[in-house]
Amino acid sequence: MLCFMSVLWLAATCLDTATASYALSTTKVTTCDTLGYVHRLSCERGVIAVQAALYGRLDRETCSEGWTNNLKDITCSQSGTKAVLQNRCDGKTTCEVITNAFRFSDPCYGTYKYLESTYACVLEVSSSVVCEHYNTRLQCGQGQVIHVLSAYYGRTDHSTCCEGRPESQLQNIQCKLSVISNVAQMCNDKSSCSVGASNSVFGDPCVGPCKYLDVKYICQSPQPAVSVVCEHSTAHLRCGQGQVIHVLSAYYGRTDHSTCSEGRPESQLQNIQCKLSVISKVAQMCNGHSSCSVIASNSVFGDPCVGTYKYLDVKYICQNASV
């Protein structure tokens, strides 16, 4: 029955992916309840998932400075705080809430309160399992690209992809070939890709058994490429086949003493407050193209700081030509 149900799932979904949530980190934030104070939750990776929240007071130490006469009640907790914070913050990468928002009632009149929350940064991991001789399609939403976390080809249980197979093809469950490099090469940094589960793609890790491909991946914002070229040199921006350039930022000038400094007199490196945004000009030359060349020179951008040796700094992503 287990085998039958497993195959039914595979047949019904025809290689659809399942998702699971994995916590990358857990953080506690405390904000005193002073007018205008902001409670801020933020995730560098993943999205916010509020786990606990308190508006009130449970001790005499937290947010106590200057409030000695207002700390008596330490069993003070407003109901509904977690739900309010979840409603405002869950699923976002950054969330800011003014503490005033929690003053819809007063759980302990006369007590100086604080807002405290514990939240996780959660990563949505997609999983795709496909039987030998079939293809799986990895897919991300608009503006996101694939990053493969793991991939193996073989067999590690008796039940997956077993319908109609003789017992002899299901016995070896010590067959697990890591193929992450193969799948990553085919799929990473793309919004979608198709991968065939077959010996012709990965080789045969165990002759005889019926195998399957198991891939786990995340969808994330594309990591920008960076191109920095010295004054009078040319920046070459390039994307892969079927992708085009989208410029995120570009400036011409100097913001440190070390970049493009070799062989230059000290006097040409001192001004590090020279930063001219040239994104509109670079975008006009490069956006929508698979490659482009941009000369870092005053004749192209003007001279934002006379006498300073400058450079061009461009950040861009490659996205599908159809986006």
Side-chain angles (χ1 to χ4, degrees):
M1 176 60 74
L2 181 59
C3 172
F4 177 68
M5 290 179 68
S6 175
V7 174
L8 267 185
W9 179 82
L10 283 169
T13 59
C14 192
L15 318 179
D16 279 351
T17 59
T19 59
S21 295
Y22 294 86
L24 297 171
S25 61
T26 303
T27 306
K28 179 182 282 188
V29 179
T30 303
T31 305
C32 303
D33 186 25
T34 296
L35 188 66
Y37 276 28
V38 173
H39 193 70
R40 189 175 192 275
L41 315 184
S42 179
C43 291
E44 288 188 9
R45 294 186 64 202
V47 295
I48 296 165
V50 176
Q51 298 176 330
L54 162 79
Y55 175 69
R57 176 168 291 280
L58 295 182
D59 62 57
R60 292 189 176 88
E61 290 75 40
T62 305
C63 293
S64 59
E65 187 175 356
W67 294 93
T68 307
N69 298 325
N70 302 85
L71 308 175
K72 294 179 182 179
D73 190 345
I74 58 170
T75 59
C76 169
S77 176
Q78 179 165 267
S79 63
T81 301
K82 179 181 175 182
V84 171
L85 203 59
Q86 285 178 323
N87 186 54
R88 289 173 176 249
C89 297
D90 276 7
K92 298 179 180 179
T93 56
T94 302
C95 176
E96 294 185 347
V97 184
I98 298 176
T99 57
N100 304 5
F102 297 88
R103 294 177 182 171
F104 48 83
S105 67
D106 193 337
C108 45
Y109 184 77
T111 294
Y112 183 60
K113 293 168 277 289
Y114 54 87
L115 175 62
E116 187 171 84
S117 67
T118 302
Y119 70 97
C121 291
V122 172
L123 201 62
E124 294 291 332
V125 178
S126 298
S127 178
S128 179
V129 180
V130 59
C131 304
E132 188 177 359
H133 307 308
Y134 288 89
N135 292 339
T136 185
R137 187 166 188 81
L138 312 187
Q139 183 82 42
C140 287
Q142 186 173 355
Q144 293 193 308
V145 294
I146 296 163
H147 178 74
V148 178
L149 299 176
S150 67
Y152 75 85
Y153 179 61
R155 173 169 291 278
T156 61
D157 63 55
H158 298 293
S159 58
T160 305
C161 295
C162 59
E163 186 182 27
R165 295 289 178 175
E167 196 71 22
S168 60
Q169 293 186 2
L170 309 175
Q171 290 307 299
N172 184 357
I173 59 171
Q174 303 300 317
C175 174
K176 187 175 182 179
L177 174 66
S178 174
V179 294
I180 184 170
S181 59
N182 306 65
V183 179
Q185 188 175 3
M186 289 185 268
C187 299
N188 276 4
D189 299 320
K190 298 179 181 178
S191 60
S192 65
C193 69
S194 181
V195 184
S198 70
N199 297 340
S200 62
V201 175
F202 302 115
D204 193 343
C206 44
V207 178
C210 171
K211 293 166 280 290
Y212 50 86
L213 174 65
D214 186 314
V215 181
K216 288 180 175 58
Y217 67 98
I218 60 172
C219 294
Q220 61 184 18
S221 298
Q223 297 300 305
V226 180
S227 177
V228 179
V229 295
C230 305
E231 188 175 354
H232 308 309
S233 299
T234 302
H236 300 285
L237 281 54
R238 295 186 180 88
C239 288
Q241 187 175 0
Q243 293 190 311
V244 294
I245 295 163
H246 178 73
V247 178
L248 299 176
S249 68
Y251 75 85
Y252 179 61
R254 174 167 292 278
T255 62
D256 64 57
H257 297 293
S258 57
T259 304
C260 294
S261 60
E262 188 175 1
R264 292 288 160 179
E266 198 70 23
S267 59
Q268 293 184 359
L269 309 175
Q270 289 307 298
N271 185 359
I272 58 171
Q273 303 299 319
C274 173
K275 188 175 182 179
L276 175 65
S277 174
V278 294
I279 184 171
S280 59
K281 194 161 288 188
V282 178
Q284 187 177 7
M285 289 187 271
C286 298
N287 278 5
H289 298 281
S290 60
S291 65
C292 71
S293 298
V294 185
I295 301 173
S297 72
N298 297 339
S299 61
V300 176
F301 301 115
D303 193 342
C305 42
V306 177
T308 295
Y309 186 60
K310 295 165 281 288
Y311 50 86
L312 174 65
D313 185 312
V314 181
K315 290 182 177 61
Y316 66 98
I317 59 172
C318 295
Q319 57 187 22
N320 288 351
S322 58
V323 173

